Amino acid sequence: MLTRRHFVMTSTALFSCPIATPLWAQEASKPARRPVSDSSKWASYDARVTPANYDPATSNPWGLHPRFLPQVVQANAGLTPGDIHVDAVARYLYHIREDGTAMRYGVAIAKGNLYEPGVYTIGRKAKWPTWTPTPAMIKREPHKYKKYEDGQDGGPRNPLGSRALYLYAGKRDTYLRIHGSPAPRSIGSRASSGCVRMVMAHIIGLYDQVNTGVTAHLYATERVTAQS
């Protein structure tokens, strides 16, 4: 005959131990690894992407058309020093300088209808930035971007390259960037998923000259910003 005491003891034996969390649940609860940029490697990365005896005006191991190499040109009157202007037709980026000149660089812009002209603010800057594709990019090209949905560490193979200038609309990050690219031969073309690409060595030179808070103008059609 089962007594009440026997029932309590039996129940305790059956149910007193905690149920182990299934392995799949443990895996699912692990936080996603956040991408990192190791600042101790930045100098070596810079050296890796900068040609030996680098001269911005003449160094061209990338085989670019000479017009896409950095050049000082005369800026048109009335432009604000420090601002950036991107000519989508000629594939030029101009950085306006205090003395009325502009430094002109060759760029690549977005392919198809992904280019977004407008007036933006440089909301922040980063050296050897990390990168995470947007949900729209993953949806559009899952075979290319799905594997990076948790982000990619900063480094020479990162799509944002050596430096990035982040374009904001007010206080909102637009996810548009002006950045270095591990595909320098794309300069002069329509190649990106929305951003403006530069040669890594070129944007390293530009980066320290650009302050956060300045304006970046991305034109839909040709805009003559300087006498080239």
Side-chain angles (χ1 to χ4, degrees), residues 120-140:
Y120 304 96
T121 300
I122 305 297
R124 73 182 185 95
K125 312 189 312 181
K127 296 182 178 182
W128 293 104
T130 61
W131 169 76
T132 302
T134 64
M137 292 170 67
I138 295 172
K139 182 178 180 180
R140 189 166 56 244

Side-chain angles (χ1 to χ4, degrees), residues 51-162:
N53 304 312
Y54 177 59
D55 179 344
T58 60
S59 296
N60 191 12
W62 314 284
L64 303 177
H65 190 288
R67 75 182 182 93
F68 292 130
L69 297 178
Q71 297 182 38
V72 177
V73 296
Q74 187 64 43
N76 285 350
L79 299 179
T80 302
D83 281 0
I84 287 173
H85 299 258
V86 175
D87 182 333
V89 176
R91 312 287 199 265
Y92 289 146
L93 179 149
Y94 297 92
H95 180 234
I96 309 303
R97 308 201 304 182
E98 292 284 352
D99 63 357
T101 65
M103 183 63 79
R104 191 187 75 189
Y105 302 86
V107 298
I109 64 170
K111 55 192 173 185
N113 62 354
L114 298 177
Y115 180 74
E116 297 186 40
V119 180
Y120 304 96
T121 300
I122 305 297
R124 73 182 185 95
K125 312 189 312 181
K127 296 182 178 182
W128 293 104
T130 61
W131 169 76
T132 302
T134 64
M137 292 170 67
I138 295 172
K139 182 178 180 180
R140 189 166 56 244
E141 298 182 84
H143 62 286
K144 187 175 181 180
Y145 297 121
K146 177 69 175 175
K147 60 185 175 181
Y148 298 116
E149 64 181 346
D150 292 328
Q152 185 174 354
D153 292 345
R157 295 185 179 181
N158 185 294
L160 295 187
S162 55

Side-chain angles (χ1 to χ4, degrees), residues 124-206:
R124 73 182 185 95
K125 312 189 312 181
K127 296 182 178 182
W128 293 104
T130 61
W131 169 76
T132 302
T134 64
M137 292 170 67
I138 295 172
K139 182 178 180 180
R140 189 166 56 244
E141 298 182 84
H143 62 286
K144 187 175 181 180
Y145 297 121
K146 177 69 175 175
K147 60 185 175 181
Y148 298 116
E149 64 181 346
D150 292 328
Q152 185 174 354
D153 292 345
R157 295 185 179 181
N158 185 294
L160 295 187
S162 55
R163 303 288 190 274
L165 308 175
Y166 294 71
L167 304 188
Y168 279 59
K171 295 183 178 180
R172 178 180 63 84
D173 185 357
T174 65
Y175 296 97
L176 300 175
R177 317 282 185 243
I178 298 170
H179 65 84
S181 174
R185 293 181 185 275
S186 67
I187 300 304
S189 70
R190 298 185 71 107
S192 77
S193 292
C195 299
V196 176
R197 292 182 180 180
M198 297 180 64
V199 170
M200 288 203 218
H202 294 174
I203 196 171
I204 288 173
L206 171 66

